Amino acid sequence: MKIVVAVKRVVDHNVKVRVKADETGVELANAKMSVNPFCEIAIEEAVRLKEKGVASEIIAVSVGTTQAQEQIRSALALGADRGILVETDAKAYPLQVAKILKGIAEQEGAQIVLLGKQAIDDDNNQTGQMLAALMGVGQGTFASEVVVEGDKVNVTREIDGGLQTVALPLPAVITTDLRLNEPRFPKLPNIMAAKKKPLETKTPADFGVDMTSKLETVKVVAPKERSAGVKVASVDELIDKLKNEARVI
């Protein structure tokens, strides 16, 4: 069984994001970039499935600029077998990424496509659902447990009311939630070995995908800074402030 894992290059989650002075986007110059945390969970789950003997090959895929090779190499160091970079300088939106992943999954004959449930840069939470619809296969989103049994996979999902388990015939699309696993740290020998693993470069045109955007970003602004809290001496003063200053009652 082959598993395709999507990997996205994002600003490291420990970095405080700054907006460009002209408000056209987020400042990426000199910012530390990393693998999207939810994608790391997807990589870890794929590696665990391979360690259990369920998967035979893991293919890490990223859509982005040449620099995204760094994140694919990180996935290879964690245990992926080879990588595919679909190189483009254009911003990749969820539907375009889903179409590219569909093309790769079908080319590779992948039985499972693993994605993070969302990326921490735009928080769209759309690509996995779009991919499943395009492929015409079942989807298990917000997965907290994945168990492959023969020609089906049982996915335990985190939902508002608790947990839901769905049985999906393979092939299937699965998006990972935080509690699915704890990603491992790559060992130095694995990091060195990852440099020699195959990494293929393709273009969106290879999959018939037009990267022209139908969306326009008008403005990006930072949220207003929150004012400091205040202490009140009595309940009457609290009610007065809520009524006359905050105007919430």
Side-chain angles (χ1 to χ4, degrees):
M1 176 192 295
K2 290 184 180 180
I3 298 179
V4 167
V5 183
V7 179
K8 188 173 185 181
R9 176 183 172 89
V10 298
V11 177
D12 188 89
H13 67 280
N14 291 312
V15 174
K16 184 177 180 180
V17 175
R18 294 182 294 111
V19 175
K20 291 181 179 178
D22 58 3
E23 297 184 334
T24 58
V26 172
E27 184 60 68
L28 299 180
N30 300 318
K32 181 183 177 182
M33 307 296 286
S34 300
V35 176
N36 175 50
F38 289 101
C39 297
E40 286 185 329
I41 295 171
I43 296 165
E44 174 66 24
E45 192 63 23
V47 173
R48 292 188 183 190
L49 289 173
K50 185 179 180 183
E51 290 172 344
K52 293 176 183 176
V54 173
S56 58
E57 187 178 29
I58 301 169
I59 305 156
V61 179
S62 189
V63 181
T65 60
T66 304
Q67 289 77 9
Q69 290 188 26
E70 178 185 348
Q71 280 62 50
I72 295 178
R73 291 295 180 193
S74 296
L76 296 176
L78 290 169
D81 298 292
R82 56 189 173 94
I84 298 175
L85 171 63
V86 182
E87 190 171 348
T88 175
D89 290 327
K91 178 175 173 58
Y93 288 91
L95 182 57
Q96 295 163 326
V97 175
K99 289 179 178 179
I100 291 170
L101 291 175
K102 173 180 180 289
I104 292 174
E106 291 177 347
Q107 275 188 6
E108 298 290 344
Q111 291 293 91
I112 294 178
V113 183
L114 276 168
L115 310 88
K117 71 170 184 178
Q118 64 194 77
I120 61 172
D121 53 0
D122 51 29
D123 274 339
N124 279 329
N125 181 19
Q126 295 175 326
T127 307
Q129 292 88 330
M130 289 177 171
L131 174 60
L134 290 171
M135 293 179 65
V137 300
Q139 57 179 294
T141 54
F142 318 123
S144 62
E145 185 180 6
V146 176
V147 179
V148 177
E149 295 180 348
D151 59 353
K152 71 175 183 179
V153 56
N154 294 325
V155 180
T156 300
R157 305 179 58 238
E158 297 197 358
I159 60 176
D160 291 341
L163 298 175
Q164 175 192 55
T165 300
V166 293
L168 307 172
L170 297 176
V173 174
I174 300 171
T175 70
T176 59
D177 213 330
L178 282 173
R179 281 157 289 279
L180 178 58
N181 60 52
E182 183 70 30
R184 69 193 69 188
F185 290 99
K187 298 177 181 178
L188 181 58
N190 294 341
I191 294 174
M192 301 305 294
K195 297 179 180 180
K196 298 180 180 179
K197 289 185 179 180
L199 198 164
E200 187 179 0
T201 300
K202 294 181 177 289
T203 66
D206 294 334
F207 304 98
V209 177
D210 181 10
M211 297 303 290
T212 303
S213 174
K214 296 182 179 180
L215 300 175
E216 178 186 357
T217 301
V218 178
K219 183 191 294 186
V220 176
V221 296
K224 294 181 179 179
E225 291 189 9
R226 297 177 61 181
S227 57
V230 296
K231 290 183 178 181
V232 294
S234 65
V235 173
D236 290 338
E237 186 181 353
L238 172 61
I239 294 174
D240 179 68
K241 287 185 176 294
L242 291 175
K243 183 176 181 179
N244 300 313
E245 294 184 18
R247 298 184 184 279
V248 295
I249 59 174

